[in-house]
Every structure is written in structure tokens, then in C-alpha cells.
């Protein structure tokens, strides 16, 4: 079934171009040209994802997002004309799933849409697994051989990212970028530190070998 995307964007030319590209990819698309009608449509429950411009007439994208989040966890990708850290921080603080800076390449937008929809699938109760390890993303629970494992938020996020990319080797830089993001302050060896925590709580505690080091490249989680 085609996923439904709501595009809230007051620049009509850009909106039309994005709409065409999304339809070409097989998505169903509706448009709104101001914040107020965008919020109204987003609330209808008829969509799988919202692309939300920040600078909008009537209600700003940030305000739309804030009001929408009181009642809905629908994935929202913010479109921002300004590559400003402040916008990104307040957008993510208000519950945006991702953001993209205009002008953007359509391929990048499509990749972010796919990622946000994939994460939604996880939130909707999908189980991520590797061998005897299972992660229930929605309930924020991790079990090994049926036994619960306590993880900190960062450990959970890192493990989730590894599981979502099971079998793919991820570099330290890629992990830092995806798990810690732009608000990261500290040393790049944080990844190694948290991998050690995960290994001790998972592999060592249960006698498994799930998290592998690929020397000079990074880490991968795979089944034995
Ligand atoms: Ca705008």
C-alpha cells in the first residue's frame, strides 16, 4: 500500500516539484500551503509522514510541530532554509524526527523519508533481533535468551542502530553521526567506550559473540 505523505510548504513551485518526485516514487501526496491548514490535515490521521517547512504563513512549522506532538507521534521531517544549529536543536527538541536543509537533493530527501518510515515501523511494534537478542523498540526493552537487560539510553540507541543495520559494518564516524548526532561533545572514542559497555552487558554476560570489531573500519552486529 502506498504510504501517504503530507507536504506543508508555502513555496508552491518547490511544493509542486517535491510532490511530483514523491508521486513518481509511488507515494501518495497531499499539500498544504500554510501552517494552520497543515496542522489540521496532519491531525486527520490520514498520513504516514509529514514534511514540514519551518517558515510558513499563519503558524510556523515549529508551532505546528509543537501542537501536533501533543496528540500524534507521526514522523515529521522539517524543511529548513537556514542551516542553523538553533533551528535543528529546537526542531528536534520539539519532536521532529529529522530535518533537511533547503536546497536539498531529492535523493537525500527520499533517503530520509525511507529512514523515517522505517523507524516508524519499528515504533509500531516491530522486533529487532540478532540471534537470541531481541529489541522491542516501542517498549524500550531488550532481552537475551528471554532475560531482560538494562541499558542506558545511549547504549539502547547504539544497539538499535547496529540492529537496524545488522550485517553492515558501520564506521565510528557513522555511528557518532547517527547515534550522537550534531549535539555530540567529547571524544570520538565514545563509540568504543559504549561498544565495551554493550559487550559486557550482552556478549560477555550471556556468552555470545554478536558485536564484532572490523579492524580499521568499525563495528558490526551479526548472528553467530
Ligand atoms: Ca516557507
Amino acid at each position: 500500500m502506498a504510504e501517504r505523505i503530507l507536504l506543508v510548504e508555502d513555496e508552491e513551485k518547490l511544493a509542486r516539484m517535491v510532490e511530483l518526485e514523491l508521486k513518481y516514487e509511488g507515494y501518495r501526496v497531499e499539500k498544504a500551503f500554510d501552517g494552520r491548514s497543515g496542522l489540521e490535515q496532519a491531525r486527520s490521521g490520514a498520513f504516514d509522514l509529514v514534511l514540514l517547512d519551518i517558515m510558513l504563513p499563519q503558524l510556523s512549522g515549529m508551532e505546528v510541530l509543537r501542537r501536533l506532538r501533543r496528540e500524534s507521534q507521526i514522523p515529521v521531517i522539517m524543511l529548513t532554509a537556514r542551516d542553523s544549529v538553533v533551528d535543528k536543536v529546537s526542531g528536534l527538541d520539539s519532536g521532529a524526527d529529522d530535518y533537511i536543509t533547503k536546497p536539498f537533493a531529492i535523493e537525500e530527501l527520499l533517503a530520509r523519508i525511507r529512514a523515517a518510515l522505517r523507524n516508524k515501523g519499528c515504533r509500531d511494534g516491530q522486533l529487532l533481533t540478532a540471534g537470541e537478542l531481541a529489541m522491542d523498540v516501542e517498549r524500550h526493552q531488550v532481552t537475551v535468551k528471554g532475560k531482560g537487560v538494562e541499558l542506558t539510553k545511549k547504549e539502547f540507541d547504539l544497539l538499535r542502530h547496529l540492529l537496524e543495520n545488522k550485517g553492515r559494518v558501520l564506521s565510528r564516524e557513522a555511528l557518532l553521526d547517527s547515534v550522537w548526532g550534531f549535539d555530540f561533545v567529547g571524544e570520538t572514542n565514545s563509540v568504543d567506550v559504549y561498544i565495551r559497555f554493550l559487550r559486557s552487558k550482552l556478549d560477555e554476560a550471556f556468552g555470545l559473540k554478536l558485536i564484532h570489531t572490523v579492524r580499521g573500519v568499525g563495528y558490526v552486529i551479526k548472528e553467530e
Side-chain angles (χ1 to χ4, degrees), residues 23-205:
K23 283 187 168 166
Y24 182 76
E25 292 296 316
Y27 295 109
R28 280 161 52 194
V29 183
E30 297 285 334
K31 297 197 298 294
F33 299 109
D34 65 76
R36 202 165 293 282
S37 61
L39 178 61
E40 207 167 289
Q41 289 191 60
R43 275 177 169 157
S44 69
F47 297 96
D48 297 298
L49 180 139
V50 180
L51 295 175
L52 182 58
D53 185 28
I54 288 187
M55 304 288 276
L56 286 170
Q58 296 194 35
L59 270 186
S60 76
M62 220 58 96
E63 188 54 30
V64 171
L65 177 64
R66 206 155 33 231
R67 296 190 191 184
L68 184 61
R69 276 292 173 259
R70 290 184 198 147
E71 57 195 76
S72 165
Q73 284 308 308
I74 184 172
V76 175
I77 299 176
M78 307 295 287
L79 311 176
T80 167
R82 293 170 293 174
D83 190 11
S84 115
V85 169
V86 175
D87 273 354
K88 290 174 186 171
V89 171
S90 46
L92 293 173
D93 276 352
S94 313
D97 296 79
D98 205 350
Y99 51 83
I100 188 165
T101 307
K102 291 191 259 183
F104 47 79
I106 197 73
E107 289 74 22
E108 190 184 355
L109 179 65
L110 292 171
R112 283 166 190 251
I113 288 172
R114 283 194 298 272
L117 289 171
R118 204 162 55 231
N119 287 340
K120 173 175 182 280
C122 297
R123 279 211 299 270
D124 289 349
Q126 187 189 317
L127 218 53
L128 298 171
T129 61
E132 294 183 280
L133 167 74
M135 169 181 281
D136 183 328
V137 176
E138 194 180 30
R139 296 204 171 94
H140 220 267
Q141 284 172 352
V142 174
T143 57
V144 178
K145 302 180 179 175
K147 278 191 192 149
V149 180
E150 292 284 329
L151 296 181
T152 64
K153 180 172 184 330
K154 217 31 116 188
E155 291 165 354
F156 186 92
D157 290 346
L158 176 59
L159 179 61
R160 175 180 173 175
H161 195 70
L162 287 166
L163 286 169
E164 282 174 350
N165 293 279
K166 187 167 69 174
R168 273 177 55 198
V169 181
L170 301 171
S171 69
R172 285 177 182 78
E173 291 71 30
L175 286 168
L176 266 183
D177 201 45
S178 317
V179 179
W180 277 263
F182 60 85
D183 60 348
F184 172 73
V185 274
E187 305 292 326
T188 48
N189 71 4
S190 293
V191 173
D192 307 280
V193 171
Y194 276 86
I195 289 282
R196 266 206 303 284
F197 292 158
L198 282 180
R199 277 193 172 132
S200 121
K201 288 185 177 182
L202 302 169
D203 284 347
E204 286 158 30

